[in-house]
Amino acid sequence: MNRHPLSRRRFACAAASLAVPVARARAGEAPKMHTVTFPDGTTVPAIGQGSWHLGQGRHPRAAEEEALRTGIALGMTVIDTAENYGDGASEQFIGRAVEGWRDKVFLVTKVEPENTAGDGIARACRASLGRLRTDYLDLYLLHAPVAVSSFRGVVAKFEELRESGKIRRWGVSNFDVRQMEALFRVPGGDRCATNQVGYNLRNRAIEKDLLPWCTARKVPVMAYSPLATGNSAVVRDPDLAKIGAGRGASAAAIALAWVVRGGNVIAIPESGSPEHVKENAAALTIW
Ligand SMILES: NC(=O)c1ccc[n+]([C@@H]2O[C@H](COP(=O)([O-])OP(=O)(O)OC[C@H]3O[C@@H](n4cnc5c(N)ncnc54)[C@H](OP(=O)(O)O)[C@@H]3O)[C@@H](O)[C@H]2O)c1
């Protein structure tokens, strides 16, 4: 993973690029929300929720459930998980937590590269659907690149799942530009709906080539670790806190608003704390 820590001055400058007036809702008007549109025209809120450690005892289960459902109620409806998070525990936790709310959420899960051979993708998808207690995924991702020579077969398997209605769309994760170009060269490869990669105020590597490449092709980027994995240099940064104070928002909310500022990035912060989730949801309407 490329990391480009910013100097203190450059970090403050980057964050200050958000120092524009908050879109103030006129009386009775809902505040404008950051959204992102997939190539098939489906629009989702630009701040979702990650779940790498959820359902695994980091917080009390009731707090994590309340956090996830609070986030959904506040508009953070894109829920990201993976078959290997807690060996399925994260998917199981989400399946239970969103029961009865399936139509309110946009469920994203991932297949591991080592499960892509033969009928592996269909098998992994069936298992994820079972753990998530649903009969379709909104988005199914390849968690990490496989060899370029396997792209054609992986795309064909994803397309079979899409045509059967088990998944609505598919995408990739941790692909660089060279791999995206190779993907777009195989039949159906340009149906890729997203690339999920690391992006935050302290890791801006994708701005060099991957983000412009995806934006030019209208392929949304999903930003993982948008709070730099809770790094206090982001979530407790005094410059961000100062910018947030003027908006009644936390440093974390400003950091998330910065990640989604361009209109083609969905941030998926993880939190098992209802209070943190409320802070994070504020980023949806910070401009
Ligand atoms: N595709 C991939 O290869 C990949 C890799 C990594 C992650 N991901 C996905 O991206 C999601 C997010 O990434 P991440 O978990 O690495 O990092 P992150 O979302 O940047 O940070 C999560 C950490 O920040 C804390 N936090 C959240 N909101 C906060 C707030 N308002 N104030 C202070 N602290 C706050 C959380 O603690 P609390 O729980 O206490 O709030 C947690 O420790 C993962 O859950 C996963 O779904 C994907």
Side-chain angles (χ1 to χ4, degrees):
M1 162 84 44
N2 283 328
R3 300 232 174 239
H4 289 281
L6 298 182
S7 69
R8 173 118 215 111
R9 202 179 128 267
R10 284 183 58 220
F11 180 78
C13 287
S17 65
L18 272 175
V20 291
V22 183
R24 293 189 193 289
R26 283 187 225 119
E29 218 177 79
K32 194 174 145 218
M33 192 188 269
H34 290 281
T35 58
V36 168
T37 300
F38 286 100
D40 64 7
T42 303
T43 297
V44 296
I47 311 282
Q49 302 185 73
S51 70
W52 184 4
H53 308 93
L54 298 186
Q56 295 155 68
R58 187 145 107 171
H59 300 269
R61 180 169 283 268
E64 291 186 349
E65 262 187 42
E66 187 190 335
L68 195 81
R69 290 174 74 93
T70 298
I72 294 167
L74 293 174
M76 299 160 76
T77 52
V78 175
I79 312 293
D80 179 77
T81 183
E83 61 171 343
N84 73 339
Y85 292 168
D87 230 353
S90 162
E91 288 183 330
Q92 279 169 339
F93 165 79
I94 290 166
R96 279 191 292 268
V98 306
E99 198 138 47
W101 284 23
R102 180 64 187 93
D103 59 335
K104 294 188 201 308
V105 296
F106 185 98
L107 281 183
V108 186
T109 192
K110 313 184 193 84
V111 56
E112 295 309 302
E114 58 271 25
N115 292 340
T116 56
D119 284 334
I121 298 184
R123 225 174 10 252
C125 182
R126 241 185 343 263
S128 286
L129 289 172
R131 287 188 291 266
L132 287 163
R133 302 180 183 210
T134 184
D135 53 8
Y136 73 95
L137 301 171
D138 294 285
L139 180 58
Y140 198 32
L141 306 181
L142 175 63
H143 206 157
V146 291
V148 169
S149 56
S150 301
F151 284 4
R152 181 184 284 259
V154 167
V155 168
K157 295 295 181 189
F158 274 147
E159 281 295 307
E160 277 174 24
L161 287 175
R162 194 180 63 77
E163 279 157 20
S164 72
K166 296 229 170 357
I167 66 172
R168 296 271 159 93
R169 48 197 76 73
W170 60 266
V172 296
S173 178
N174 296 303
F175 271 42
D176 61 21
V177 167
R178 191 186 54 81
Q179 290 159 330
M180 289 303 285
E181 282 173 344
L183 178 66
F184 271 52
R185 280 196 295 271
V186 306
D190 60 356
R191 281 189 176 274
C192 174
T194 192
N195 185 5
Q196 186 179 117
V197 290
Y199 184 46
N200 59 61
L201 267 164
R202 302 192 74 82
N203 171 17
R204 301 178 63 181
I206 65 165
E207 290 176 4
K208 193 169 132 266
D209 54 8
L210 185 66
L211 185 55
W213 191 96
C214 289
T215 303
R217 287 157 186 80
K218 298 189 168 37
V219 176
V221 166
M222 288 184 81
Y224 68 68
S225 307
L227 295 172
T229 318
N231 189 328
S232 60
V234 171
V235 297
R236 277 191 284 285
D237 177 78
D239 295 317
L240 295 181
K242 209 163 131 199
I243 294 167
R247 296 162 159 73
S250 68
I254 298 301
L256 293 174
W258 178 88
V259 168
V260 302
R261 71 200 179 287
N264 195 40
V265 177
I266 301 162
I268 46 166
E270 172 178 329
S271 179
S273 146
E275 287 318 306
H276 284 169
V277 163
K278 285 180 202 156
E279 287 179 20
N280 299 346
L284 278 166
T285 52
I286 296 172
W287 294 82

